[in-house]
Amino acid sequence: MSRKLGGNILVTGTNRGLGLELVRQLIQVTSNKDHIYACCREPEGSGAEALRELANENPKRITVIKLGINKLHGSAPLSATGGCGMMEVYQVNVVGPFLLAKHLLPHLKRAAEQMSLKHGGQGGHMSCRRSAIINISSLLGSIEKCPENFHIAPMYAYRTSKAALNMMTRCQAEDFREHHILATAIHPGWVQTDMGGKEAPLTSQDSVQGMLSVMSSLSDKDSGNHLDWQGNSIPW
Ligand SMILES: NC(=O)c1ccc[n+]([C@@H]2O[C@H](COP(=O)([O-])OP(=O)(O)OC[C@H]3O[C@@H](n4cnc5c(N)ncnc54)[C@H](OP(=O)(O)O)[C@@H]3O)[C@@H](O)[C@H]2O)c1
């Protein structure tokens, strides 16, 4: 992969699963000048050992940040989903990413402007190298695909939260286009993580490699869209 990703990159949920693998691979595909901010709920906890090890090996390139929101019970079926469960999942999957992007907006704007100055103030195209928000979504948030896959994952809270995250991505894309900040939702595939389970067909390494390749090629036409880890468009 060519060096199309770089700058200051913030990743959430980095103590395990896809977040941890993203940090691992980002260290490899970005340069020594680039910096990864790795967010995690309990950086000192036993579940963050691998992340601490990675950060210790790359002290000048990784900063671990304590960041968390609420409990998550997204996979519960109808019978086990109440109002609190719905709200908790919405908090984690929608409100969290919303607040994060809102608070980081000044930095995202500055990054986009700096790239514009480098190109003589010409504006230029959007890209992850310039300034971007990538929301990790899910095929299960696709309303059109629901009849095909509801029976294998009858998760009300998770599905509705990811559909809302997709709408939020679309809003961000419209809102921030004038600032040249790209916003795209990416489905990582069904992946062997604690969430995806052992029977999932994809390893986190392959999923992240695919997602980083997709991210490195994103441009204006992709902002506001929902793509999978191979770059295929997912219907709303
Ligand atoms: N795996 C799949 O097949 C699959 C498919 C489609 C979409 N996705 C999406 O991909 C993303 C990553 O999933 P994954 O498979 O890597 O899951 P995972 O292995 O279960 O890891 C989840 C990560 O999110 C963190 N997290 C959970 N609740 C949090 C909260 N309230 N505040 C802050 N951090 C929290 C966890 O931290 P703790 O260790 O502290 O709990 C952990 O780092 C998710 O958005 C998921 O919806 C996954």
Side-chain angles (χ1 to χ4, degrees):
M1 188 192 311
S2 57
R3 287 212 191 283
K4 288 187 178 162
L5 297 173
N8 292 310
I9 303 172
L10 183 137
V11 187
T12 56
T14 59
N15 59 312
R16 60 189 168 101
L18 292 166
L20 178 62
E21 186 59 28
L22 270 165
V23 177
R24 269 200 196 112
Q25 292 195 27
L26 278 169
I27 282 294
Q28 286 160 15
V29 302
T30 55
S31 80
N32 284 337
K33 290 185 201 149
D34 303 317
H35 201 88
I36 318 292
Y37 294 89
C39 302
C40 152
R41 284 202 277 195
E42 293 179 20
E44 307 305 330
S46 57
E49 214 166 297
L51 176 63
R52 286 199 298 273
E53 208 171 290
L54 197 58
N56 288 338
E57 286 165 8
N58 300 277
K60 292 189 176 152
R61 305 212 40 217
I62 299 177
T63 301
V64 177
I65 297 176
K66 185 174 168 68
L67 182 86
I69 327 156
N70 242 329
K71 285 184 287 178
L72 191 59
H73 299 296
S75 58
L78 179 64
S79 56
T81 304
C84 291
M86 289 292 283
M87 292 312 290
E88 280 172 1
V89 177
Y90 195 82
Q91 278 279 353
V92 175
N93 285 354
V94 189
V95 179
F98 167 78
L99 290 176
L100 201 54
K102 182 178 170 181
H103 292 308
L104 292 175
L105 191 55
H107 299 285
L108 289 162
K109 281 185 185 171
R110 204 172 314 133
E113 279 163 17
Q114 279 169 359
M115 191 69 94
S116 173
L117 289 175
K118 272 191 201 164
H119 292 91
Q122 297 295 309
H125 296 291
M126 291 190 282
S127 68
C128 279
R129 187 70 187 85
R130 184 175 191 173
S131 188
I133 299 164
I134 303 298
N135 291 316
I136 301 299
S137 188
S138 171
L139 180 70
L140 299 184
S142 166
I143 293 167
E144 196 173 317
K145 291 279 179 189
C146 187
E148 287 172 31
N149 55 30
F150 179 77
H151 62 288
I152 53 164
M155 310 161 172
Y156 280 75
Y158 185 77
R159 283 175 178 276
T160 52
S161 72
K162 291 296 188 181
L165 181 71
N166 290 344
M167 175 50 113
M168 193 182 79
T169 307
R170 194 75 179 218
C171 294
Q172 290 171 330
E174 290 309 314
D175 204 8
F176 307 154
R177 196 181 301 278
E178 62 170 315
H179 303 295
H180 308 291
I181 300 166
L182 180 143
T184 299
I186 298 188
H187 162 58
W190 182 17
V191 192
Q192 293 157 16
T193 61
D194 291 344
M195 180 181 283
K198 289 194 174 76
E199 69 279 22
L202 258 182
T203 62
S204 56
Q205 288 87 343
D206 287 346
S207 165
V208 166
Q209 198 177 352
M211 286 197 287
L212 290 180
S213 172
V214 170
M215 286 180 212
S216 69
S217 67
L218 294 178
S219 64
D220 296 30
K221 68 177 182 355
D222 304 303
S223 199
N225 286 341
H226 185 194
L227 307 175
D228 73 8
W229 63 287
Q230 294 177 303
N232 303 307
S233 186
I234 296 183
W236 299 120

